[in-house]
Amino acid sequence: MTSANGEGATAALSSADSPVKLQEERYSPFVRVTLRQWSKWYLDGTETFWPFTDIAIRFFIGMWYLRSGLVKATDWDTAVLLATNDYPVSWMEPVTAATIGLGIELIGPILLIAGFMTRPAALAMATLTLISQAVYIPTTTNLIVSAMLIWYVFHGPGALSLDRVLASGLKTSALPLARPATLAWEWSRANLAPVVMALLRVWMGVTLLTYAGVIEPSVAVQTWLPTTIYSGFPDWLAVVFAVIFFIGIGATFVSYALFFLIAAFMIAGAHPNVTLFPFLFLGLYDAKGAGVFSIDRAILAWLERNILFDRNYADIPDRWPHVVVVGAGFGGLAAVAKLKRLPVKITLIDKRNYHLFQPLLYQIATATLNPADIATPIRSLFKGDGNVRVLKGEVQGIDAATKTLTYGDGQTLDYDRLVLATGATHSYFGRDEWGPFAPGLKTIEDGVAVRASILNAFEEAEASGDPERIERLLTFVIVGAGPTGVELAGAIAELAKVSVEREFRTIDPASARVILVQSGPRILPAFPEGLSEQATASLEKLGVEIRTGGRVTEIAEAHVRIGDDVTIETETVLWAAGVAASPAAKWLGAAADRAGRVEVNELMRVIGADGEPIPDIFAIGDTADSKAWDGNSVPGLAPAAKQAGAYVSEVVEAELLGKPCPGPFVYKHQGSLATIGRKSAVADFGAFKLSGAIAWWLWGLVHIGFLTGARNRVTVAVNWAWNFFAQHSGVRLITEKQV
């Protein structure tokens, strides 16, 4: 056994360690890994947060202009009067100037916020603001807003914009000038925008030196310097930041430092009428860096040449160890997310090309969500990581002696480290003949097929004139009352009694029977008894019939038998009673538990048939039988798989660098959640338990947070809101044959 201080784990690591390590080079492995991880964290963070920073900047600038435009539109006479007397444009008639200005202030903001024709809109708005700065009252806000808009003219909006969404389509379209314009925009973003950012950086440096009195430009020049941003700053501090801006170092740290300093001086009363726009400008500087001719750019170039190496897969040195991860579930993705920051080549293999959020698969089956809402192409998750290669293929075998695996049509792949995260499938407890009559939910194909089966039951009942068959068609049986079974039962009941209640003419969907069968004494057996009772009450309120204490003994095309004497006539049976692990144990000839899960030691290393750990092979998630939960088996939950994936990456890093082992894996239970229906759920966090509407909101927030990708989070939230308020499910499409 491993001692609590991890000494046994270190010994286990040494006994099973591999000779494959990071080779000595010009820079020590520790230095290279540290710099690489810092670089990847910085670059990944910038890439992650920039789309949201971009939206905030475009929104607030747009609203600032739009508010002015609406005021003028509601009082046109005053707008013309202002154009005539207060800020006349010498080369335009007042009415013409007012009309053009109003058009820019009304149309430009809408285009900017939507990210459509962003560059022309930004150019028009910047021109209007600069004219106002030149001929009307000069303000710091005008200068900062104009600076950001000029940068947008050259860079364009971020990923969450119509311009970026339409760019690839326009590039290949037949529209006149569409391709050259799109290519010009891309070239400008890559080559001119960094120059503009560098000029803005110098502009800020000059502003700080002017504020500190180091230089004294003419009054006309000072009109174009936003010195009031730094009101309250000591002169020496302004000079320090001016030097930092001039040399362009630490854009992120400089942005945060100025953000808090300006806020502090504002709170202290030393700052006059500060607005949001200086902070937005600092957010832009933080996200997009210092631009060209900066120390930051030189550091990044050095890292590219000496540390990163992975912008292109072909450029990765052959000396880098090869880590193969099988399975793109929660555990596999968590492992790759941390391993990719090491100087290693990674191959991620999955038999499908998407990552699926399985906890919400039942909502595909019950017509609440679309498949694309809970699935993300694997390649898109690692498109910015050149050292990660994604392969679509199904593994057939593993040769631990030669450290190769076979996949696809007999292709082989060598590995230095192997992580098995292959998940689980349905288990009918030796009665596989039930499969065709009682499908489970593990894949998108399963979800779409079950949805077709449920919806077809209503359609066929509407068309049938046989009362007995109608009753059989409108009887839905779910076998297994864990979280999946409970959620399915509640969702089907709501579908029948709410979503389609008034859509049929000869049948009453609300009369449908939903029967939840559990062999044990209560539903949700993994939850405390009190929460189980509350879940039972919520399901019964929805009209779900709960049958506990009876084991299913037969499933056929038109009936289910419970025990020896209870028969339920039904044509729709759904299986949520058990799972079996992937055949990883058979591939390796390794020890496994009754469910087929591979036995692992405290380091998540696979234990072979001889009882010894197999070098360089790890298993995580539903593939592994780990006793890391206070001596009990780790549950098959997404957080457990993610924790194991992150842990294994730490073990691999320790092995490759010769560092001390992180210690045995310890699963930290983050709670269990199950939703029952509209505004009802249960949540168990140990000493802290919730039920009802509060638990339902928490369940929704947690599941949205676990989804992969901003698009999926937004679409799921929108669909849930629509379904909740409209009480209507709009994904009732039958696209597969009935199961």
Side-chain angles (χ1 to χ4, degrees):
M1 291 295 292
T2 301
S3 62
N5 61 12
E7 293 178 358
T10 305
L13 171 61
S14 301
S15 65
D17 196 12
S18 163
V20 178
K21 292 185 179 180
L22 296 177
Q23 300 177 16
E24 293 294 335
E25 297 175 350
R26 179 178 178 185
Y27 308 101
S28 72
F30 176 78
V31 170
R32 272 190 296 115
V33 170
T34 302
L35 289 174
R36 178 178 171 77
Q37 290 181 336
W38 177 85
S39 304
K40 296 293 283 185
W41 282 327
Y42 174 76
L43 295 172
D44 290 349
T46 299
E47 186 69 22
T48 299
F49 292 110
W50 161 240
F52 303 101
T53 305
D54 166 60
I55 286 179
I57 293 172
R58 288 190 281 119
F59 174 79
F60 285 109
I61 291 178
M63 293 305 296
W64 184 65
Y65 277 89
L66 191 60
R67 184 178 59 220
S68 174
L70 291 174
V71 169
K72 293 175 183 176
T74 56
D75 191 354
W76 176 246
D77 291 338
T78 301
V80 174
L81 184 64
L82 290 172
T84 303
N85 300 320
D86 290 11
Y87 47 93
V89 180
S90 58
W91 62 89
M92 283 187 187
E93 292 293 328
V95 174
T96 304
T99 302
I100 294 175
L102 181 61
I104 292 174
E105 290 182 333
L106 291 179
I107 299 173
I110 296 173
L111 296 176
L112 185 72
I113 293 172
F116 179 63
M117 298 183 67
T118 309
R119 289 175 172 84
L123 178 60
M125 295 164 70
T127 302
L128 180 65
T129 309
L130 291 173
I131 291 174
S132 176
Q133 179 77 5
V135 303
Y136 190 43
I137 301 176
T139 68
T140 295
T141 298
N142 281 347
L143 291 174
I144 296 297
V145 169
S146 298
M148 290 189 285
L149 287 172
I150 290 171
W151 184 85
Y152 270 101
V153 171
F154 292 94
H155 185 278
L160 301 179
S161 64
L162 290 176
D163 280 348
R164 293 291 290 275
V165 169
L166 300 174
S168 18
L170 287 173
K171 192 189 300 184
T172 56
S173 73
L175 292 174
L177 302 178
R179 178 175 174 77
T182 305
L183 292 175
W185 293 344
E186 293 176 352
W187 182 86
S188 175
R189 179 185 301 115
N191 298 281
L192 297 182
V195 175
V196 173
M197 182 56 74
L199 294 174
L200 293 176
R201 188 185 84 230
V202 173
W203 177 58
M204 275 292 160
V206 172
T207 299
L208 283 160
L209 291 182
T210 301
Y211 169 82
V214 176
I215 60 176
E216 294 184 5
S218 65
V219 175
V221 172
Q222 291 188 42
T223 302
W224 300 93
L225 299 176
T227 53
T228 58
I229 292 176
Y230 304 106
S231 294
F233 275 45
D235 291 347
W236 66 267
L237 186 60
V239 172
V240 169
F241 276 106
V243 173
I244 291 173
F245 269 119
F246 280 127
I247 64 178
I249 186 171
T252 296
F253 303 109
V254 170
S255 299
Y256 280 109
L258 286 176
F259 183 98
F260 288 111
L261 283 171
I262 293 171
F265 285 120
M266 178 189 68
I267 294 171
H271 204 301
N273 301 322
V274 70
T275 67
L276 179 65
F277 295 109
F279 298 107
L280 293 176
F281 177 84
L282 291 172
L284 178 64
Y285 186 66
D286 170 34
K288 304 313 293 183
V292 296
F293 311 119
S294 64
I295 292 181
D296 280 355
R297 178 61 65 93
I299 292 173
L300 182 59
W302 180 86
L303 289 170
E304 291 277 6
R305 290 191 305 270
N306 297 280
I307 302 297
L308 294 175
F309 294 128
D310 65 351
R311 291 303 178 194
N312 296 305
Y313 191 78
D315 296 336
I316 297 176
D318 292 335
R319 62 181 177 272
W320 282 17
H322 187 202
V323 180
V324 176
V325 179
V326 183
F330 292 106
L333 292 187
V336 174
K338 293 199 71 173
L339 287 169
K340 70 181 183 180
R341 296 189 172 98
L342 294 171
V344 296
K345 292 182 292 186
I346 300 172
T347 299
L348 176 59
I349 304 178
D350 197 285
K351 60 184 177 181
R352 295 178 177 83
N353 78 326
Y354 58 83
H355 164 72
L356 176 65
F357 189 77
Q358 282 193 1
L360 290 181
L361 189 56
Y362 82 95
Q363 295 206 359
I364 304 296
T366 53
T368 300
L369 297 174
N370 280 302
D373 295 341
I374 63 170
T376 305
I378 301 169
R379 295 185 186 279
S380 69
L381 299 174
F382 303 106
K383 61 184 177 182
D385 303 297
N387 64 330
V388 179
R389 180 189 182 200
V390 177
L391 293 178
K392 181 179 181 295
E394 187 169 2
V395 174
Q396 277 101 35
I398 299 171
D399 189 334
T402 61
K403 301 180 78 170
T404 60
L405 62 82
T406 306
Y407 71 97
D409 297 326
Q411 298 102 312
T412 59
L413 196 64
D414 298 330
Y415 65 84
D416 295 312
R417 297 292 190 281
L418 178 63
V419 180
L420 299 174
T422 45
T425 185
H426 317 300
S427 172
Y428 293 95
F429 308 115
R431 302 295 297 271
D432 291 345
E433 68 273 14
W434 292 353
F437 309 118
L441 287 174
K442 284 295 177 184
T443 67
I444 284 180
E445 293 83 356
D446 293 337
V448 173
V450 168
R451 181 180 70 190
S453 177
I454 294 171
L455 296 178
N456 264 322
F458 290 104
E459 297 292 344
E460 292 182 22
E462 174 79 357
S464 176
D466 182 355
E468 291 186 358
R469 183 154 193 258
I470 290 174
E471 183 178 355
R472 191 165 64 243
L473 285 166
L474 295 184
T475 299
F476 302 91
V477 177
I478 298 99
V479 181
T484 298
V486 166
E487 290 168 349
L488 265 174
I492 294 174
E494 285 195 339
L495 177 70
K497 296 177 179 10
V498 179
S499 296
V500 299
E501 181 185 12
R502 293 177 293 178
E503 296 186 0
F504 293 87
R505 298 296 176 262
T506 62
I507 63 169
D508 178 14
S511 67
R513 297 176 65 196
V514 181
I515 303 172
L516 181 61
V517 180
Q518 170 71 359
S519 59
R522 62 186 177 91
I523 67 172
L524 296 177
F527 284 71
E529 188 170 352
L531 292 181
S532 176
E533 292 174 355
Q534 292 182 45
T536 299
S538 296
L539 284 174
E540 289 176 342
K541 186 176 180 180
L542 286 172
V544 176
E545 302 176 30
I546 299 175
R547 304 199 177 196
T548 57
R551 188 177 299 276
V552 172
T553 55
E554 182 184 359
I555 300 177
E557 185 175 5
H559 70 266
V560 171
R561 191 181 303 279
I562 303 173
D564 297 326
D565 54 356
V566 178
T567 300
I568 302 173
E569 301 293 329
T570 178
E571 294 188 19
T572 306
V573 183
L574 302 178
W575 186 263
V579 295
S582 68
K586 295 180 181 178
W587 296 339
L588 295 166
D593 67 359
R594 293 176 57 188
R597 296 181 299 177
V598 176
E599 293 185 14
V600 295
N601 66 3
E602 63 271 24
L603 299 176
M604 304 303 290
R605 198 186 301 277
V606 173
I607 297 176
D610 59 358
E612 295 297 323
I614 302 176
D616 305 321
I617 300 181
F618 303 86
I620 58 177
D622 290 338
T623 311
D625 178 23
S626 169
K627 305 297 184 183
W629 190 14
D630 297 328
N632 300 313
S633 293
V634 173
L637 301 174
K642 294 178 75 171
Q643 289 179 35
Y647 171 81
V648 164
S649 70
E650 294 174 2
V651 174
V652 170
E653 178 180 351
E655 291 181 359
L656 295 178
L657 295 178
K659 298 193 314 184
C661 174
F665 175 58
V666 177
Y667 168 63
K668 298 177 178 62
H669 189 56
Q670 298 173 348
S672 300
L673 297 133
T675 182
I676 296 129
R678 187 180 302 271
K679 296 189 298 185
S680 182
V682 291
D684 175 25
F685 299 102
F688 182 56
K689 298 174 178 60
L690 288 172
S691 63
I694 295 178
W696 182 79
W697 284 104
L698 178 62
W699 174 91
L701 290 173
V702 168
H703 281 68
I704 288 176
F706 266 89
L707 283 166
T708 302
R711 175 199 171 277
N712 286 1
R713 295 188 183 102
V714 171
T715 53
V716 167
V718 169
N719 278 328
W720 280 352
W722 172 261
N723 191 41
F724 180 81
F725 291 108
Q727 297 191 353
H728 178 77
S729 175
V731 198
R732 298 194 305 279
L733 306 179
I734 301 175
T735 56
E736 294 286 336
K737 293 181 180 179
Q738 186 175 1
V739 177

